[in-house]
Amino acid sequence: MVNDDVTTRAEPHGIAQAERPGAAAGKAKGRPRGRPRSFDRETALEKALLAFWEHGYEATSVSDLTRVMDIGAPSLYAAFGDKRSLFEEVVQVYAARYGSFTDRALAEEPTARAAVDRMLREAATAYTEPGRPHGCLVVHAAANCSTPEVEQSLRDRRNADIAAFESRIRADVAAGALPPGTDAAALARHTGAMIQGMSQQARDGASREELEAVAEIAMSIWPRTGTHTG
């Protein structure tokens, strides 16, 4: 648990008094001020995650964050740093909690083709899950982002995924699971384009079934060998 409103000296006098009704009277009577209100850091972080996921980085203001997290600005800065630091932590939590299906598929499936097939189908489900924002936070948060460091960080994450796809595809080419002439770089970028496109389609209202149909068509272009079916 983290103390809320931990720093009030930086606030304008009127705001500090408004957040502590009866403070002046308590001081006049010599009573000690009560303990500051506290909040659960993980709960507040999840609320910030959902706000960034729904609205993107640029469109989510500090006042938006304090409102949805139900904490004061001083508490946000004390617990999470500035908006950018909070967002960086949010992205890490998102990757572990909601976006980990990509890494799991690459780690657990026997071939690149099987991994990408599973990844696209799981994306169709994850991106349309009821009760939470649709699409991918890492894709959507970059829209209209004018903060270069944030934009670059999100780009690096997306490019790292494409590099991981390419590495796995090249390994399958070397092992004979894909034909020798397979263009690993193009096939990896095609996979990245499908993931990113499905994210936007989900935000535009595409259903899980519609995205699964897109995934099926995407996989139909994958090359096969005569002995490996993926």
Side-chain angles (χ1 to χ4, degrees), residues 204-220:
D204 288 345
S207 68
R208 177 178 60 82
E209 292 79 10
E210 289 171 328
L211 294 182
E212 286 175 341
V214 170
E216 184 174 354
I217 293 172
M219 295 310 303
S220 70

Side-chain angles (χ1 to χ4, degrees), residues 57 83-93 149-150 153 157:
Y57 178 80
K83 174 184 168 181
R84 180 179 155 196
S85 298
L86 171 60
F87 180 72
E88 289 172 355
E89 186 171 352
V90 157
V91 171
Q92 292 173 1
V93 172
E149 297 84 358
V150 172
S153 175
R157 281 183 172 271

Side-chain angles (χ1 to χ4, degrees), residues 130-150:
R132 67 190 194 205
H134 286 178
C136 172
L137 180 148
V138 175
V139 174
H140 176 59
N144 300 317
C145 182
S146 60
T147 305
E149 297 84 358
V150 172

Side-chain angles (χ1 to χ4, degrees), residues 73-130:
S75 294
L76 186 152
Y77 294 128
F80 300 102
D82 58 11
K83 174 184 168 181
R84 180 179 155 196
S85 298
L86 171 60
F87 180 72
E88 289 172 355
E89 186 171 352
V90 157
V91 171
Q92 292 173 1
V93 172
Y94 173 85
R97 188 174 299 165
Y98 300 106
S100 59
F101 62 86
T102 296
D103 290 339
R104 286 199 308 270
L106 289 173
E108 296 172 5
E109 295 300 324
T111 65
R113 188 182 193 284
V116 171
D117 185 29
R118 170 178 164 181
M119 188 191 317
L120 294 180
R121 294 183 186 282
E122 291 190 3
T125 299
Y127 292 169
T128 58
E129 189 73 27

Side-chain angles (χ1 to χ4, degrees), residues 10-208:
E11 299 172 340
H13 180 74
I15 295 176
Q17 293 294 338
E19 291 189 355
R20 297 191 300 275
K27 183 176 179 181
K29 295 180 181 180
R31 293 197 303 266
R33 190 174 65 186
R35 293 182 61 190
R37 180 168 57 90
S38 61
F39 70 94
D40 183 83
R41 190 181 191 281
E42 292 305 310
T43 299
L45 184 60
E46 178 70 10
K47 291 177 179 178
L49 186 155
L50 294 173
F52 280 125
W53 192 352
E54 177 66 34
H55 303 292
Y57 178 80
E58 209 67 40
T60 305
S61 67
V62 171
S63 61
D64 293 331
L65 291 166
T66 57
R67 184 180 68 256
V68 300
M69 296 166 78
D70 193 27
I71 61 176
S75 294
L76 186 152
Y77 294 128
F80 300 102
D82 58 11
K83 174 184 168 181
R84 180 179 155 196
S85 298
L86 171 60
F87 180 72
E88 289 172 355
E89 186 171 352
V90 157
V91 171
Q92 292 173 1
V93 172
Y94 173 85
R97 188 174 299 165
Y98 300 106
S100 59
F101 62 86
T102 296
D103 290 339
R104 286 199 308 270
L106 289 173
E108 296 172 5
E109 295 300 324
T111 65
R113 188 182 193 284
V116 171
D117 185 29
R118 170 178 164 181
M119 188 191 317
L120 294 180
R121 294 183 186 282
E122 291 190 3
T125 299
Y127 292 169
T128 58
E129 189 73 27
R132 67 190 194 205
H134 286 178
C136 172
L137 180 148
V138 175
V139 174
H140 176 59
N144 300 317
C145 182
S146 60
T147 305
E149 297 84 358
V150 172
E151 186 180 25
Q152 185 62 51
S153 175
L154 294 172
R155 183 184 300 116
D156 288 345
R157 281 183 172 271
R158 295 191 299 272
N159 285 335
D161 284 343
I162 293 173
F165 304 154
E166 183 175 349
S167 176
R168 187 65 189 276
I169 293 167
R170 290 190 184 280
D172 276 13
V173 172
L178 287 170
T182 299
D183 188 336
L187 196 54
R189 194 156 292 281
H190 173 266
T191 300
M194 294 308 306
I195 287 281
Q196 294 171 30
M198 288 171 68
S199 171
Q200 185 58 54
Q201 287 290 306
R203 292 195 67 87
D204 288 345
S207 68
R208 177 178 60 82

